[in-house]
Amino acid sequence: EREYTRDELDHRLILDGDLQTTNKVIQSIEDKGQERYLHITLSFQESEISSETLNAVTQEYKTLLMNAYHEEEYCFYAEAHLPKIKNLIDNRTGERVERKPHIHIVIPEKNLATDRYLLPTGKITVSEKYLDAIQEYINNKYHLVSPKDAMRVSDQNYANVLSRTKGDLFNERNSDVKRAIYARLESENVCSFSDFKTL
């Protein structure tokens, strides 16, 4: 229900791969109601980041995340969204929300060499510390602010951020299940992976 189209909101900068090829790989995975691709968002506290840095960060992230695979085994697509509209009014609160550059990464969950399942992140509850290590390494190397030092989610606006996320997910498959999970996340104040695992 937003007022602007993606192209009105952001300049899209392709950093790696080809979107049509990625979509073909995703569509080649039999649809059994499961998620067929990983969607990873790399967000930044900085309001401006050069295209060179965005590209370097993407390549570094790709190298570290996909280290267990040869390039011919996977499909990887990344694009940066650089805000044309720097601020939006949150219709619920009337507050101005600053929009930041971010990178979207899409990795189909298919090993192209073996035609089997591919999941480079592994089980999040096990690999969270490794994914955090990649994030912190990149932040340090490229002199970027760590999200751990600049959390945009506080107790006060946690529900609002969750609400924005819900809007993105509720048009996807299994939306009833996701809606029920989010309701419990909010009502039971689940804020860690261990609590989420218990839930």
Side-chain angles (χ1 to χ4, degrees), residues 135-151:
Q135 175 180 282
E136 292 306 312
Y137 170 78
I138 289 173
N139 289 332
N140 186 52
K141 180 172 180 177
Y142 295 98
H143 310 289
L144 300 166
V145 176
S146 167
K148 291 178 178 17
D149 296 331
M151 302 258 314

Side-chain angles (χ1 to χ4, degrees), residues 27-163:
Q27 297 308 318
S28 75
I29 300 170
E30 185 181 355
D31 186 354
K32 299 176 182 176
Q34 82 284 21
E35 301 293 341
R36 294 183 284 172
Y37 60 91
L38 279 174
H39 174 211
I40 299 167
T41 304
L42 305 181
S43 302
F44 304 95
Q45 176 63 21
E46 291 77 7
S47 297
E48 301 288 335
I49 302 178
S50 71
S51 57
E52 292 79 17
T53 299
L54 291 167
N55 188 59
V57 164
T58 300
Q59 295 311 312
E60 190 93 45
Y61 192 88
K62 176 182 175 181
T63 298
L64 294 169
L65 182 67
M66 306 305 293
N67 193 40
Y69 301 94
H70 297 288
E71 280 200 33
E72 62 270 15
E73 290 185 89
Y74 61 87
C75 179
F76 185 99
Y77 177 78
E79 72 178 34
H81 290 182
L82 309 174
K84 293 178 185 176
I85 299 174
K86 306 286 187 182
N87 295 281
L88 287 176
I89 300 297
D90 186 324
N91 292 330
R92 292 179 304 271
T93 64
E95 293 179 14
R96 186 175 295 274
V97 178
E98 183 181 4
R99 300 184 65 251
K100 306 276 190 174
H102 54 280
I103 298 171
H104 290 282
I105 295 172
V106 176
I107 305 168
E109 295 179 354
K110 178 179 184 175
N111 187 312
L112 301 177
T114 65
D115 208 29
R116 298 183 69 163
Y117 185 62
L118 177 141
L119 187 62
T121 56
K123 192 174 179 183
I124 296 295
T125 51
V126 174
S127 63
E128 177 187 6
K129 61 187 175 185
Y130 303 114
L131 298 173
D132 278 352
I134 291 173
Q135 175 180 282
E136 292 306 312
Y137 170 78
I138 289 173
N139 289 332
N140 186 52
K141 180 172 180 177
Y142 295 98
H143 310 289
L144 300 166
V145 176
S146 167
K148 291 178 178 17
D149 296 331
M151 302 258 314
R152 292 174 77 183
V153 181
S154 67
D155 289 341
Q156 185 177 11
N157 69 8
Y158 173 77
N160 289 337
V161 172
L162 195 58
S163 177

